[in-house]
Amino acid sequence: MSRLDSFISRMQSQRAVLNHIRDKAMVAPDGVILEIGLGNGRTYDHIRELFPRNRIIAFDRAVGSHPDSTPPEADLILGDIRETIEQFAGKDVAFAHADIGTAYPEKDAQTLTWLPQSVAAALVTGGIAASGLPLDHSALEPLPLPTGAEPGRTYFYRKR
């Protein structure tokens, strides 16, 4: 599969999961959403459209998003995500979306030493997580992927 086809598959899978979460009303309208990895802001923009009443807090090392897809300053946390996300432990987050995989196995392995624990610590019981990397953690129950999402392209969980 070409890198372009791989990217398209990943984005279609991500969109299928995000839309499913909205369609099944899996996030309370007043629940906080974490966007872990703002990047260029496309996914943030989609989440903002799907959940217009929710506060969405985005994390990244630096702003690289399009101005139309950049959160307000109060909802943008810059710095090393491994460190900045710690402030959300125990904050009863309703939904966490993480798309910070790099496709470099050694870098992703380092991210996986802290990301699953950080997401599990932030979520309220029953909270939802979607990630481009597997979040293997005893508090996170894998959920079946909806139609349109390919296994291995995105991962989907509920906090026990």
Side-chain angles (χ1 to χ4, degrees):
M1 177 183 295
S2 73
R3 290 186 62 227
L4 177 61
D5 285 335
S6 178
F7 174 76
I8 291 168
S9 173
R10 186 170 62 88
M11 291 297 100
Q12 288 175 331
S13 294
Q14 185 182 89
R15 183 181 61 197
V17 168
L18 294 172
N19 290 351
H20 176 78
I21 292 167
R22 187 245 356 244
D23 294 347
K24 298 297 181 182
M26 300 176 91
V27 176
D30 60 346
V32 172
I33 297 172
L34 302 183
E35 171 65 333
I36 305 166
L38 177 62
N40 59 37
R42 282 188 297 254
T43 303
Y44 167 80
D45 187 55
H46 191 67
I47 291 171
R48 182 174 59 183
E49 187 175 290
L50 295 177
F51 304 99
R53 295 175 49 199
N54 296 77
R55 181 177 182 204
I56 304 165
I57 301 170
F59 296 79
D60 216 319
R61 289 185 182 275
V63 176
S65 54
H66 185 278
D68 292 342
S69 300
T70 300
E73 190 175 319
D75 293 334
L76 180 59
I77 300 175
L78 300 177
D80 185 335
I81 298 171
R82 180 180 187 167
E83 296 170 4
T84 59
I85 198 167
E86 290 178 1
Q87 66 189 290
F88 283 86
K91 297 293 185 184
D92 294 338
V93 169
F95 172 42
H97 176 260
D99 188 12
I100 56 175
T102 65
Y104 292 94
E106 61 282 353
K107 288 183 180 181
D108 291 345
Q110 289 177 346
T111 300
L112 288 172
T113 65
W114 60 266
L115 182 61
Q117 172 58 37
S118 296
V119 169
L123 288 174
V124 66
T125 300
I128 299 297
S131 176
L133 294 172
L135 301 178
D136 295 326
H137 191 278
S138 61
L140 299 174
E141 171 190 5
L143 297 174
L145 291 173
T147 301
E150 290 186 42
R153 296 293 179 189
T154 193
Y155 301 86
F156 184 34
Y157 304 89
R158 179 185 314 275
K159 184 172 178 185
R160 302 175 203 261

